[in-house]
Amino acid sequence: MTSQQSPQTMKPATAAKKLGVYLPATPAEFQEGVVSRAELNRLQAEPPQWLRELRRDGPHPRPVVAAKLGVSIAGLARGGVTDALTTEQIESLKREGPAWLERERTTQAGVRKEATRLRELREERAGQD
């Protein structure tokens, strides 16, 4: 007796997160349905026009905004950025260079530097074993 496997599906919020897009900006049919793994793979491999436009112009979810600005998500919150931003708004922030953004970029650079130092130290210790 063989059982037929049902396709793996996910909620639209999960699919939007995996696609790196802001769910409220996606088409209604995307928001209201479920997304199968095959559909997600198809969207990633051959993004439709709406997905290409969202990735290019936004609005972008906070993790994408943080990455584009070179700060953490917590740094965005400390800077007062709690909403999704468009690419134009992100570029405007970069040009303006507010004090909070420079401070958070410096903090993030320090965090990355420390993470690299710790990784190298672990690798060095692992090599001695």
Side-chain angles (χ1 to χ4, degrees), residues 2-36:
T2 61
S3 63
Q4 183 177 354
Q5 285 189 336
S6 61
Q8 181 183 6
T9 60
M10 61 193 82
K11 294 178 182 176
T14 303
K17 189 174 184 177
K18 289 180 180 290
L19 292 169
V21 296
Y22 185 57
L23 180 62
T26 61
E29 59 269 10
F30 181 85
Q31 294 179 39
E32 295 164 0
V34 294
V35 180
S36 70

Side-chain angles (χ1 to χ4, degrees), residues 7-8 12-13 19 24-25 38 45 55 75 85 90 96 112 118-120:
Q8 181 183 6
L19 292 169
R55 286 177 168 168
L85 298 180
I90 293 168
E96 293 168 10
R112 282 191 215 106
L118 291 173
R119 184 174 52 256
E120 289 170 351

Side-chain angles (χ1 to χ4, degrees), residues 13 19 29 36 43 55 57 74 81 83 87 99 101 105 114 128:
L19 292 169
E29 59 269 10
S36 70
L43 287 169
R55 286 177 168 168
D57 302 326
V81 178
D83 296 327
T87 300
L101 180 57
R105 282 180 166 172
E114 179 64 6
Q128 293 175 357

Side-chain angles (χ1 to χ4, degrees), residues 60-110:
H60 303 286
R62 286 179 305 156
V64 174
V65 173
K68 287 179 178 274
L69 290 173
V71 300
S72 66
I73 294 173
L76 282 180
R78 286 189 292 270
V81 178
T82 57
D83 296 327
L85 298 180
T86 63
T87 300
E88 185 177 315
Q89 291 169 314
I90 293 168
E91 293 304 318
S92 177
L93 265 175
K94 286 179 178 179
R95 282 191 303 276
E96 293 168 10
W100 72 264
L101 180 57
E102 298 307 317
R103 195 171 44 251
E104 291 301 332
R105 282 180 166 172
T106 301
T107 299
Q108 189 69 9

